[in-house]
Every structure is written in C-alpha cells, then in structure tokens.
Amino acid sequence: MLMFAVIVASSGLLLMIERGILAEMKPLPLHPSNREGAAWRGTARRPGGLTLDAGDSDLQVRQDIRNRTLRAVCGQPGMPRDPWDLPVGQRRTLLRHILVSDRYHFLYCYVPKVACSNWKRVLKVLAGVLDSVDVRLKMDHRNDLVFLADLRPEEIRYRLQHYFKFLFVRDPLERLLSAYRNKFGEIREYQQRYGAEIVRRYRAGAGPSPAGDDVTFPEFLRYLVDEDPERMNEHWMPVYHLCQPCAVRYDFVGSYERLEADANQVLEWVQAPPHVRFPARQAWYRPASQESLHYHLCSAPRSLLQDLLPKYILDFSLFAYPLPNVTREACHQ
C-alpha cells in the first residue's frame, strides 16, 4: 500500500515538474530546517556553510525540486529515517557504496555509470595515493579507498552525522542504456556472466551455450523486469537502493547533465586544494545521448517499458527526471 501511494504521488509530481509548475513556487532552503545545525556547517573549515550561486537558477530550481520530493516521499509512514532502520541486506549495500574522506570530511555515495570512476580517482588524489586526476591507469575500484562498510558502527554514525554527504544521479533510463552499451558491448566478463543467461531466457532457439555478446536492448529490459531490484548488479540497481536517500540525509545531489560544474562546486565546498579539479571527459568518450535513448526506447515494446518503469519510479521522482515520451507520435518524429 505504501509503495502504491508513493508511485501515485511521484507520478503526480513528475507531471508538475514537466509542466514547470514547481519552478513557479517560492524556493525552499537547500537544507531542511532540522539540518541547519549540522556540525559541518558550523566548523571553521566551512564558515559560510553550503551556498549556491544566486545566478545559477537552474541548479537552485533542481535542488529545490529534489529537496521537496525527498521530504514528501521520505516523510511517508514506514520509510527509513536512518541506515539502522534498513534490513541488513539493504544496509550492507548502502554502506558498501559510500566512500569516506576523513581528511576532507565528506561521504560520497557512488553510483555506477554516473562518473563514479572519476570520483574515485579524485578521492585517491585527495588521499595522496595518486599524483593527479589525469593519470590514466586502469581504475582499481577497491584498493586505497575507504568505505563506510569498513568502519565500526560508532564510526559510521559519527561520519553520517558530521560529514558533508553527496551523490550524483543521472536520467534512470539513460543510465541503463549506458550500462547496456558498456557491459554487453565491451566487457567479456559481463557477456559471459549475464549476457549468456539473458539470451538463454529470452531468445527462442538460443541453444544451451550462447556467447552473450549480442544481447538486444529489449532483452536486457526484459531481464530487468524479472529481477529483484535489491539483488540487481550495481550497474543497473536503482539509485534509491544503492544510496538510500531517505535513510541518509544527503547535503547535495549533483547531476550527470552538469557533471563538471556540479563536481567542481562540491570540491570547492569541501575545500579541496585548488589544483584538484574534476577530470574532464576524454575527447573520444561518447556518452549515451537522449537521441540514442529515444531510439532504443521507441524500438522496445511499450508494454515492456510499462512493466519496467515502476522499478525505477523513485529514481525518476526523487531526482526530478521526466518519464520518457514513447507515444506513437513522439516515436515517429
């Protein structure tokens, strides 16, 4: 019943966002009032607290919308208010995805396919492990990094209470397309582990031992429809389950769509050294575009999308992303 109510409320809010209604409302403070006394705001390291550039109306509106939706959805009865309200498995997933910088007093919840490799590179530079964010070594996603899961409960609680907390998000379906293109188009391990199973399940006459290197996007979506979101691979697990934004009160939610600006703003807030800037995208890198996403979605059965969207509805609503328009008219434009 609770999830039904959340979905209904979220869908209505998304419609308001798409029509620009929320942008006309008076903006709320970036932080709810019960967080204004958080310890990090009063320290000498951040004397002015977290402030937004008054001229950046797009960022302000987006943060206002996200704060409103987070408070509305997370205020529902039964929603977690603390990581220790979560079942053990959900809490384990959360703590394994929050990276710690004790030197700069921040926590970062990493989301795969939302520039998390570059953020891990930044953390290693801040920790003195790498000399520069421009060092192009193959990223080791575990060594020389500290996760909340590595700490004792009292250490976790202290950092959650006192450190600056942030994450970065992306259009949910664009993130899925990016994961599909990367993992099934380039990574043999994923082709063998997931691709072969997907082909066996969803392709007639596939045979017992498919290579798994030719998974179609609709086959991938069918696989996601049948998966339990809490048990998904992290590259396509909903952000809600990875970072639990109701159980953890994040101070900032950045956007992939304005990645470099938002990331460098965070580095300024945590008082990183001036020479540490977020890495620019490589010239050869071509992220999944809205045009490519539109093409792939229009090529998939609409009934399949209807079955898929409820699994990601909280990612759409909490982070102010519009639902895709896959009407016949839109797909034939």
Side-chain angles (χ1 to χ4, degrees):
M1 184 53 128
L2 171 62
M3 186 54 66
F4 176 76
V6 169
I7 291 173
V8 170
S10 301
S11 300
L13 186 59
L14 279 167
L15 184 60
M16 293 172 70
I17 293 169
E18 290 173 345
R19 292 178 177 176
I21 294 173
L22 288 183
E24 298 173 4
M25 296 180 178
K26 292 182 179 179
L28 293 175
L30 183 62
H31 302 282
S33 58
N34 63 349
R35 291 162 57 192
E36 288 178 355
W40 69 268
R41 292 188 59 133
T43 63
R45 297 184 70 250
R46 303 175 184 86
L50 187 156
T51 58
L52 293 173
D53 182 348
D56 196 342
S57 59
D58 177 69
L59 176 58
Q60 182 69 63
V61 167
R62 184 177 293 274
Q63 288 301 309
D64 289 343
I65 291 173
R66 286 174 177 165
N67 280 327
R68 290 172 186 270
T69 52
L70 280 167
R71 281 185 290 176
V73 175
C74 296
Q76 297 273 342
M79 297 299 277
R81 308 297 173 86
D82 181 274
W84 276 265
D85 291 342
L86 299 169
V88 173
Q90 293 182 22
R91 183 167 66 250
R92 184 185 304 115
T93 296
L94 170 66
L95 298 181
R96 287 176 176 175
H97 282 83
I98 296 184
L99 287 154
V100 181
S101 172
D102 282 326
R103 180 177 296 182
Y104 291 93
H105 298 84
F106 70 78
L107 302 177
Y108 159 60
C109 186
Y110 80 86
V111 178
K113 308 313 299 178
V114 191
C116 72
S117 294
N118 275 346
W119 267 115
K120 290 174 181 177
R121 188 172 285 111
V122 168
L123 265 82
K124 291 189 178 191
V125 171
L126 292 176
V129 176
L130 287 180
D131 293 330
S132 167
V133 295
D134 297 319
V135 174
R136 293 299 164 186
L137 300 174
K138 181 176 175 59
M139 174 53 60
D140 186 323
H141 291 271
R142 292 295 310 177
N143 288 336
D144 300 315
L145 294 168
V146 178
F147 298 81
L148 272 187
D150 300 329
L151 307 180
R152 296 190 300 270
E154 62 272 20
E155 295 174 325
I156 294 170
R157 288 188 174 94
Y158 178 86
R159 284 159 179 78
L160 286 169
Q161 181 180 354
H162 293 285
Y163 283 17
F164 178 76
K165 300 173 288 295
F166 70 95
L167 75 155
F168 274 71
V169 296
R170 183 178 189 177
D171 179 290
L173 292 177
E174 186 180 296
R175 177 174 168 246
L176 292 182
L177 177 58
S178 177
Y180 163 75
R181 287 171 46 178
N182 172 234
K183 300 307 175 186
F184 299 110
E186 303 172 13
I187 311 298
R188 186 62 184 161
E189 176 187 350
Y190 276 76
Q191 294 170 355
Q192 293 175 336
R193 181 175 178 182
Y194 296 100
E197 177 62 24
I198 290 172
V199 171
R200 276 194 296 268
R201 282 196 207 177
Y202 303 107
R203 189 180 303 174
S209 303
D213 59 355
D214 61 345
V215 174
T216 67
F217 191 60
E219 287 171 341
F220 176 54
L221 297 186
R222 286 192 177 93
Y223 167 73
L224 296 180
V225 166
D226 290 340
E227 286 293 289
D228 178 353
E230 294 181 18
R231 298 178 181 276
M232 286 180 176
N233 178 279
E234 64 174 10
H235 291 85
W236 42 82
M237 181 182 285
V239 176
Y240 179 83
H241 292 288
L242 289 172
C243 295
Q244 295 288 345
C246 291
V248 176
R249 295 180 176 183
Y250 292 97
D251 298 293
F252 182 70
V253 179
S255 298
Y256 186 81
E257 295 75 23
R258 43 172 296 135
L259 174 62
E260 191 170 348
D262 280 3
N264 285 321
Q265 179 68 81
V266 168
L267 291 174
E268 181 180 331
W269 282 329
V270 301
Q271 297 188 357
H275 69 275
V276 179
R277 308 300 290 169
F278 196 76
R281 286 191 180 125
Q282 296 285 340
W284 51 263
Y285 180 67
R286 294 292 181 269
S289 66
Q290 283 294 312
E291 293 76 14
S292 176
L293 176 62
H294 184 71
Y295 169 80
H296 280 84
L297 293 179
C298 287
S299 301
R302 274 181 289 177
S303 60
L304 182 58
L305 296 176
Q306 290 171 351
D307 291 337
L308 177 71
L309 288 176
K311 296 199 171 188
Y312 294 89
I313 193 65
L314 287 174
D315 285 5
F316 280 102
S317 59
L318 288 174
F319 306 123
Y321 285 106
L323 293 168
N325 183 357
V326 289
T327 61
R328 288 187 179 88
E329 294 78 8
C331 287
H332 283 89
Q333 288 179 354

